[in-house]
Amino acid sequence: MDWWIWVLIAAAVLGLGWFAQRRGWIDLSDKTKRGGPAGVIMGVDEIFAPTRHEAQLEQERQSRLPAPAPLPGDGDKGIAFAAANADDDDPDRFRGSIRLDVER
């Protein structure tokens, strides 16, 4: 077999993979955000072992915990600006502004 046939086969496979990625048939993006070969292995699992891939995604989804919801009686937790001269039971003690500190 000539060498150019192997080049054509490789180009066809890469082109088909690109087309399938663009159409949304497969997702080869790095879902772990860790880099390295793990994203490629997960992409291969998505194609050849979809059950394992879905189980791994579900495990990652369940392992990420959301921030706990505030409970009654927790106070303002430092996110609301209270008026300096207002009592704690005064319903109008907040001036209507909220401060959210988001770390980047």
Side-chain angles (χ1 to χ4, degrees):
M1 234 183 209
D2 290 331
W3 63 270
W4 57 270
I5 292 176
W6 291 110
V7 171
L8 278 174
I9 291 172
V13 167
L14 288 174
L16 182 62
W18 176 81
F19 181 72
Q21 172 81 17
R22 298 289 288 176
R23 295 282 298 175
W25 296 339
I26 60 173
D27 183 15
L28 299 177
S29 62
D30 185 14
K31 294 161 196 66
T32 61
K33 303 293 183 207
R34 285 180 267 170
V40 175
I41 293 171
M42 283 183 66
V44 172
D45 277 349
E46 184 176 2
I47 296 169
F48 294 108
T51 306
R52 181 185 334 161
H53 175 71
E54 290 173 8
Q56 186 174 10
L57 288 179
E58 186 63 28
Q59 180 183 13
E60 289 175 2
R61 227 178 268 127
Q62 290 179 4
S63 68
R64 288 188 214 121
L65 297 175
L71 298 174
D74 276 350
D76 65 358
K77 297 286 187 185
I79 61 169
F81 295 110
N85 57 358
D87 294 329
D88 286 339
D89 58 348
D90 184 13
D92 296 324
R93 68 180 177 192
F94 297 110
R95 295 180 299 207
S97 62
I98 297 175
R99 178 188 70 232
L100 298 176
D101 293 329
V102 179
E103 295 181 16
R104 293 181 189 247

